[in-house]
Amino acid sequence: AQSVTQLGSHVSVSEGALVLLRCNYSSSVPPYLFWYVQYPNQGLQLLLKYTSAATLVKGINGFEAEFKKSETSFHLTKPSAHMSDAAEYFCAVSSSNTGKLIFGQGTTLQVKP
Amino acid sequence: DAMVIQNPRYQVTQFGKPVTLSCSQTLNHNVMYWYQQKSSQAPKLLFHYYDKDFNNEADTPDNFQSRRPNTSFCFLDIRSPGLGDAAMYLCATSRDLREETQYFGPGTRLLVL
């Protein structure tokens, strides 16, 4: 069965600092992986998607993620945090059997001035 | 712009009083999903429609029903809301079931008094 684990339920960074949100997956087949962002009282917005075309995936708002098969990881990074990046971030894998999204537990990103 | 629309954004109902949440899409996607999201948790899939085919998750309570009268619209009916049903309800769409990006609406926040 496929699964996703996000390490760290809360991450706090200073404005301008590197953002690193960790995601590890478990899958016996090549996975389709997603990062979504959710602002308070909003729906989920797609940040980026890995589909095996390239291991480094660039997304919106300056975010990118690198697929590392050897580490079964798909960590999300941004070189310089903005106050507007404060939100909840979800990593997800698309089930190879059903296509359903399997979400991680979410990571709350706090950005301090 | 093509999008997923949810109405209302906030809904207050009374304990036991039926309530209907609405979702519409202009993406012409085949699949529509309903998720329940409680505070500080990942979204939980309730059911989905692939075209007119309804697929219920095994652990979705009977209290929750759905209708999809046409491609564009999908409704979530809660027959007898309990206090535990207070949550954010998210509608999402995708072109197909497998390996496809899901696009989320802004959500409806349900409060049960």
Side-chain angles (χ1 to χ4, degrees):
Chain A
Q2 292 167 296
S3 65
V4 168
T5 301
Q6 291 183 240
L7 302 175
S9 58
H10 288 84
V11 171
S12 182
V13 300
S14 297
E15 191 174 20
L18 172 72
V19 175
L20 171 61
L21 305 183
R22 299 177 186 273
C23 173
N24 287 89
Y25 69 90
S26 171
S27 178
S28 58
V29 298
Y32 276 57
L33 293 161
F34 304 82
W35 275 101
Y36 283 90
V37 61
Q38 186 176 32
Y39 300 100
N41 289 313
Q42 295 290 328
L44 276 66
Q45 181 181 5
L46 180 70
L47 276 177
L48 48 82
K49 171 184 178 182
Y50 169 74
T51 61
S52 76
T55 57
L56 183 63
V57 183
K58 294 189 182 299
I60 63 171
N61 301 340
F63 284 93
E64 63 181 34
E66 186 173 8
F67 175 76
K68 292 187 176 180
K69 184 178 179 180
S70 60
E71 299 177 8
T72 61
S73 68
F74 190 57
H75 302 332
L76 183 70
T77 60
K78 182 174 181 177
S80 177
H82 295 159
M83 297 297 292
S84 59
D85 294 327
E88 187 82 10
Y89 291 80
F90 290 98
C91 182
V93 63
S94 179
S95 167
S96 58
N97 291 332
T98 65
K100 297 174 188 176
L101 279 180
I102 301 166
F103 286 96
Q105 306 91 316
T107 298
T108 302
L109 176 65
Q110 179 187 24
V111 182
K112 298 177 292 185
Chain B
D1 287 341
M3 56 198 309
V4 182
I5 302 161
Q6 291 188 246
N7 287 305
R9 294 294 315 280
Y10 297 90
Q11 177 73 58
V12 181
T13 191
Q14 292 180 330
F15 182 94
K17 185 175 181 181
V19 65
T20 295
L21 309 183
S22 170
C23 177
S24 64
Q25 54 130 341
T26 61
L27 297 160
N28 203 32
H29 282 172
N30 290 314
V31 192
M32 295 188 77
Y33 306 82
W34 279 105
Y35 289 87
Q36 180 192 64
Q37 186 182 27
K38 296 190 175 180
S39 182
S40 302
Q41 296 183 20
K44 177 180 181 296
L45 183 63
L46 295 173
F47 26 59
H48 74 272
Y49 272 95
Y50 184 91
D51 196 11
K52 297 180 180 179
D53 293 332
F54 177 70
N55 295 271
N56 202 26
E57 292 300 296
D59 57 354
T60 297
D62 292 340
N63 199 26
F64 292 85
Q65 304 287 323
S66 185
R67 296 170 284 135
R68 190 178 185 186
N70 53 53
T71 301
S72 300
F73 283 87
C74 195
F75 300 99
L76 170 62
D77 300 309
I78 308 177
R79 292 191 296 187
S80 182
L83 297 179
D85 297 328
M88 174 75 90
Y89 290 88
L90 298 167
C91 175
T93 73
S94 65
R95 186 175 54 185
D96 209 325
L97 272 176
R98 285 175 173 73
E99 301 167 354
E100 293 285 344
T101 301
Q102 290 188 23
Y103 296 90
F104 286 80
T108 295
R109 171 83 56 192
L110 179 67
L111 180 63
V112 182
L113 301 179

